C-alpha cells in the first residue's frame, strides 16, 4: 500500500509538471498582447513597452517558464494581470466556493445513487430496474452543460420558476440548487450502474444464500451481509466521479455564473490574464490528481486481491 502511494505521488507530480508545460505553452499561444489588453487600445507604445518589462514579457519563453515554475514551487502563483492582486489571494474565495459546490453535489449524488442502484438490483428485471437503467443511460450520454440548460428551462424563470438560473451573490440558498442538482445528475449514472451490478453479484454469492438458508431476516441479510460487500468496489467509482467534478465544475460554474475557480478561469481567458489562467488550470489538475490517488487507495483497501497483487 505504501509503495503504491509513493509511486502514485511520483507520477502525480510528473503529471502536474507536464500540465504546467502544456498550460504555459497554451497561454503563450493566446492571441493578442497581454500588456496592450491591460492598458487598452489608447495606450501609447511607450507605456505598453514599460508594462511588458514590468511583467517580464520581453524575456525568452524558457526564462519566463522557469521564473513562473520556480514561483509555483515556492507557493507563489503570481500576480493577476487584470487586477494586480496576488493570484493566491484572489482565488482563495473561488476555491472555497468550488469545493463547497463539489462537496454538496457529492453529498446529494452519492447516497441517492447507492440507494437507487441497490433497489434496482433488488427489483432486477422489473419496472423500476428498467426505468432506472434507461434513465441513467440517457443521462450519462448527455453533456453536463446540456443537463444544466434543461434544468434552467424546466425549473428556472422560463419554466416553473422555482429556482434562480444565475448566481447573484445575495447569499440566498436557493441559487445553489440548480448547480448542485446539475453536477449530481452528471456524476450519478456510473455510481448507480456500478452499485446495481455489484449488488446483483453479491446477492447471488454463496454467503448471502447461506445466510438466507439459515432463516435470517431479509433486512439483516441485505444491510449486514450484502450492502457492505457491494459498496467496497463502488467506492472507487465514487472517487473517480468526484475527480471528474474537478473538471466538470468549470462548465457548470460558467453556465450559472457561479463564483468559483471555473468561472475565474473563463474570465481569465477572456481578459488574457495569463497568471490567473495558469494557476486555475494547475489547481484543477491538482485536485483531479489527488482524488485519483484517493480512488486508487480506496480500490486497494476494498479489494484484497488487488492489494496482494501489488506487493
Amino acid at each position: 500500500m505504501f509503495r503504491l502511494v509513493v509511486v502514485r505521488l511520483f507520477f502525480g507530480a510528473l503529471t502536474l509538471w507536464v500540465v504546467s508545460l502544456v498550460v504555459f505553452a497554451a497561454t503563450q499561444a493566446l492571441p493578442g498582447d497581454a500588456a496592450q489588453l491591460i492598458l487598452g487600445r489608447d495606450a501609447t507604445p511607450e507605456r505598453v513597452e514599460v508594462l511588458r518589462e514590468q511583467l517580464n514579457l520581453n524575456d525568452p519563453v524558457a526564462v519566463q517558464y522557469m521564473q513562473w515554475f520556480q514561483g509555483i514551487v515556492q507557493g507563489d502563483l503570481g500576480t493577476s494581470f487584470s487586477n494586480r492582486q496576488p493570484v493566491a489571494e484572489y482565488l482563495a474565495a473561488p476555491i472555497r466556493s468550488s469545493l463547497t459546490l463539489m462537496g454538496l453535489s457529492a453529498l446529494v449524488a452519492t447516497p441517492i445513487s447507492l440507494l437507487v442502484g441497490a433497489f434496482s438490483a433488488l427489483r432486477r428485471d422489473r419496472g423500476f430496474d428498467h426505468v432506472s437503467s434507461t434513465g441513467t443511460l440517457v443521462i450519462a450520454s448527455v453533456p453536463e452543460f446540456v443537463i444544466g440548460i434543461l434544468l434552467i428551462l424546466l425549473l428556472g424563470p422560463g419554466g416553473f420558476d422555482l429556482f434562480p438560473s444565475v448566481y447573484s451573490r445575495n447569499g440566498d440558498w436557493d441559487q445553489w440548487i440548480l448547480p448542485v442538482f446539475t453536477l449530481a445528475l452528471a456524476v450519478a449514472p456510473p455510481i448507480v450502474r456500478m452499485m446495481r451490478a455489484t449488488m446483483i453479484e453479491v446477492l447471488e454469492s454463496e454467503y448471502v444464500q447461506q445466510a438466507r438458508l439459515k432463516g435470517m431476516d431479509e433486512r439483516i441479510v441485505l444491510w449486514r451481509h450484502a450492502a457492505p460487500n457491494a459498496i467496497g468496489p463502488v467506492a472507487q467509482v465514487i472517487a473517480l466521479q468526484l475527480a471528474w467534478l474537478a473538471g466538470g465544475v468549470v462548465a457548470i460554474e460558467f453556465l450559472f455564473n457561479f463564483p468559483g475557480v471555473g468561472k475565474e478561469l473563463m474570465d481569465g481567458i477572456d481578459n488574457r490574464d495569463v497568471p490567473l489562467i495558469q494557476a486555475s488550470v494547475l489547481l484543477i489538475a491538482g485536485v483531479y490528481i489527488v482524488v485519483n490517488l484517493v480512488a486508487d487507495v480506496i480500490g486497494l483497501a476494498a479489494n484484497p486481491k488487488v492489494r496482494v497483487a501489488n506487493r
Side-chain angles (χ1 to χ4, degrees), residues 57-284:
L57 296 178
N58 289 329
D59 294 338
V61 174
V63 174
Q64 293 184 47
Y65 173 77
M66 292 304 300
Q67 292 174 344
W68 171 69
F69 188 74
Q70 183 179 3
I72 294 295
V73 173
Q74 296 173 351
D76 181 10
L77 300 180
T79 302
S80 171
F81 285 174
S82 57
N83 52 48
R84 306 305 299 163
Q85 293 182 2
V87 173
E89 296 180 7
Y90 182 73
L91 288 179
I95 289 172
R96 289 194 296 268
S97 297
S98 293
L99 291 177
T100 302
L101 179 61
M102 293 169 58
L104 290 174
S105 302
L107 288 176
V108 171
T110 302
I112 295 177
S113 300
L114 293 175
L115 290 175
V116 172
F119 195 70
S120 296
L122 294 174
R123 296 294 184 269
R124 184 180 181 183
D125 296 330
R126 298 183 185 179
F128 182 86
D129 184 30
H130 292 309
V131 172
S132 64
S133 296
T134 304
T136 53
L137 185 62
V138 171
I139 295 174
S141 64
V142 178
E144 67 274 9
F145 66 88
V146 176
I147 296 176
I149 293 173
L150 293 176
L151 289 178
I152 290 174
L153 294 176
L154 180 63
L155 303 177
F160 291 102
D161 198 13
L162 298 177
F163 308 108
S165 59
V166 177
Y167 191 93
S168 59
R169 299 176 185 267
N170 58 13
D172 292 341
W173 63 270
D174 57 350
Q175 57 193 349
W176 288 73
I177 299 296
L178 290 183
V180 169
F181 197 24
T182 300
L183 288 174
L185 284 176
V187 302
I191 302 175
V192 172
R193 299 179 72 85
M194 187 63 180
M195 184 63 184
R196 176 187 179 275
T198 55
M199 193 69 171
I200 289 175
E201 182 180 354
V202 170
L203 289 174
E204 294 177 348
S205 63
E206 294 182 358
Y207 60 86
V208 171
Q209 297 298 328
Q210 186 68 24
R212 285 172 171 167
L213 290 174
K214 290 180 179 180
M216 288 187 180
D217 186 87
E218 186 67 17
R219 288 175 297 181
I220 296 177
V221 173
L222 292 176
W223 299 112
R224 182 177 297 177
H225 296 283
N229 290 284
I231 291 177
V234 181
Q236 190 172 22
V237 176
I238 295 173
L240 290 174
Q241 289 303 106
L242 297 184
W244 175 89
L245 281 175
V249 75
V250 175
I252 300 306
E253 288 181 354
F254 185 74
L255 176 63
F256 290 100
N257 196 38
F258 189 85
V261 176
K263 184 178 181 300
E264 295 299 334
L265 172 60
M266 301 304 293
D267 290 343
I269 294 174
D270 289 339
N271 298 326
R272 206 181 186 281
D273 194 335
V274 174
L276 183 60
I277 298 171
Q278 294 168 339
S280 299
V281 174
L282 280 182
L283 286 171
I284 293 172

